[in-house]
Amino acid sequence: MEPATILAIIILVVAIVILLFYYLQATNNPIYNNLQAQASTFSTRVGQEEYISNISDKVSDVSGKIKDRVQDEDEEDHVSRTDMISKKISQFIDEQSEQVIEDWDLATNKDIDAVMEKYNQIESDLNDYKESNNERVSSLEERVNQIDEELEKLKE
């Protein structure tokens, strides 16, 4: 059987038991009344057992000790632990940062500076090209104008 089938069967059985319990409770069936009386008797007997009361005392003792320890801790201990954890995290980041940068293809300040330097160089080259191109266009326009003037003179 698959786990899903087993789970569905268990849920169905629990639902049937719950429905049966509520049915017996609603009908005031003597079986339900008997079960309820036995359960209450059992719970009072368990509460009276020495073993259970000893467990209760031990739990309260342990909780008191834990409270005392928490209250007794100094602020300096807490701060020093925090500093120690912070130092360990910083050390881990320092050791693993190169690998993380490489694995995730992250950009560093050096990479950004190199890109900005290349951008500035390209921008400078483009501006130089524009100036030289504008000069060539101007000289070509002057030549075209001269040729037009000479053609006008020849036509006359």
Side-chain angles (χ1 to χ4, degrees):
M1 292 173 107
E2 293 181 18
T5 307
I6 293 171
L7 181 64
I9 291 171
I10 291 172
I11 291 172
L12 183 63
V13 169
V14 169
I16 290 172
V17 168
I18 291 172
L19 287 174
L20 183 63
F21 174 76
Y22 282 115
Y23 172 75
L24 291 174
Q25 183 182 10
T27 59
N28 285 328
N29 196 318
I31 296 172
Y32 170 74
N33 292 333
N34 188 21
L35 282 175
Q36 188 176 15
Q38 287 179 357
S40 64
T41 305
F42 179 73
S43 66
T44 55
R45 281 189 302 173
V46 167
Q48 293 172 353
E49 287 292 323
E50 185 178 332
Y51 176 73
I52 299 298
S53 63
N54 287 343
I55 290 177
S56 170
D57 293 340
K58 288 180 182 180
V59 167
S60 64
D61 288 345
V62 169
S63 67
K65 288 179 183 178
I66 290 173
K67 286 180 184 176
D68 290 343
R69 283 186 183 176
V70 169
Q71 291 173 355
D72 289 344
E73 284 187 0
D74 292 332
E75 238 356 89
E76 294 174 10
D77 290 342
H78 179 70
V79 171
S80 66
R81 288 180 189 165
T82 305
D83 290 343
M84 200 165 57
I85 291 171
S86 177
K87 287 178 184 177
K88 286 182 181 181
I89 290 172
S90 295
Q91 181 184 2
F92 176 78
I93 289 173
D94 290 342
E95 290 173 357
Q96 300 297 322
S97 63
E98 292 297 323
Q99 187 65 37
V100 170
I101 289 170
E102 190 175 308
D103 290 346
W104 290 359
D105 293 329
L106 300 176
T108 62
N109 287 338
K110 292 178 185 177
D111 297 333
I112 293 172
D113 290 342
V115 168
M116 290 303 294
E117 192 175 303
K118 288 178 183 178
Y119 172 78
N120 290 334
Q121 183 62 40
I122 289 172
E123 185 179 35
S124 173
D125 290 347
L126 181 62
N127 288 336
D128 291 344
Y129 174 75
K130 283 180 182 178
E131 287 178 18
S132 66
N133 193 33
N134 286 340
E135 289 174 7
R136 281 189 269 153
V137 167
S138 296
S139 68
L140 288 174
E141 285 178 352
E142 286 177 17
R143 287 183 190 169
V144 167
N145 286 339
Q146 285 177 356
I147 293 173
D148 281 344
E149 286 175 8
E150 288 185 19
L151 282 175
E152 288 289 327
K153 285 182 185 178
L154 287 175
K155 284 185 184 178
E156 291 179 1

